[in-house]
Amino acid sequence: MQEEYRALVGEDDRRKAGLAIHLVAVRTGALPDRMTARGRLDPLSLKARRLAMYLSHVAFGWTLERVGHVFGVNRATAGSACRWAEDERDQREVDDLLNQLEALISGLYAARTEAQA
């Protein structure tokens, strides 16, 4: 039996992904535990997880490979999620949502950097 490949993920990356997951969950009504569950997801959880992966890719500047490692999926799945989210940005409400969440993350990390200085 072949063992599943899992890359080591640092605590800072876990925290950042958790932030993206929880922000998306609050705005979409999805449950964070369902978004990160293994196996087939319900439509709401799948959409929310894709948005969280895209948000991590854009807001944190992560590569698709890094997004995949942190979310426990392969690079192709992370890429598919990001392409889907990019296509969804054609809808004004999705674009507005992602712009707001990106701004929140940027603001949080800018404040964190200023506090550490």
Side-chain angles (χ1 to χ4, degrees):
M1 186 163 156
Q2 194 172 24
E3 195 172 310
E4 183 179 337
Y5 168 76
R6 297 285 294 186
L8 293 176
V9 176
E11 284 304 310
D12 190 50
D13 283 356
R14 286 187 201 285
R15 279 191 291 274
K16 287 179 176 178
L19 175 62
I21 288 166
H22 282 84
L23 287 174
V24 169
V26 166
R27 291 297 306 275
T28 63
L31 297 173
D33 290 346
R34 284 293 308 135
M35 292 168 61
T36 57
R38 288 267 184 236
R40 203 160 199 60
L41 299 179
D42 61 272
L44 177 61
S45 299
L46 178 61
K47 177 180 179 178
R49 181 172 73 175
R50 287 175 173 170
L51 291 173
M53 284 194 272
Y54 176 79
L55 189 59
S56 298
H57 175 58
V58 173
F60 302 130
W62 289 352
T63 64
L64 294 176
E65 184 172 14
R66 188 171 181 182
V67 171
H69 287 302
V70 175
F71 281 83
V73 298
N74 62 38
R75 189 180 76 69
T77 301
S80 176
C82 290
R83 282 189 304 281
W84 174 88
E86 192 65 43
D87 289 345
E88 289 295 301
R89 287 195 92 145
D90 290 341
Q91 298 177 41
R92 184 173 181 88
E93 63 275 2
V94 174
D95 190 48
D96 289 346
L97 169 68
L98 288 169
N99 284 335
Q100 291 167 7
L101 295 179
E102 287 173 46
L104 276 171
I105 289 174
S106 294
L108 286 170
Y109 278 89
R112 179 179 164 195
T113 303
E114 291 171 10
Q116 291 175 345

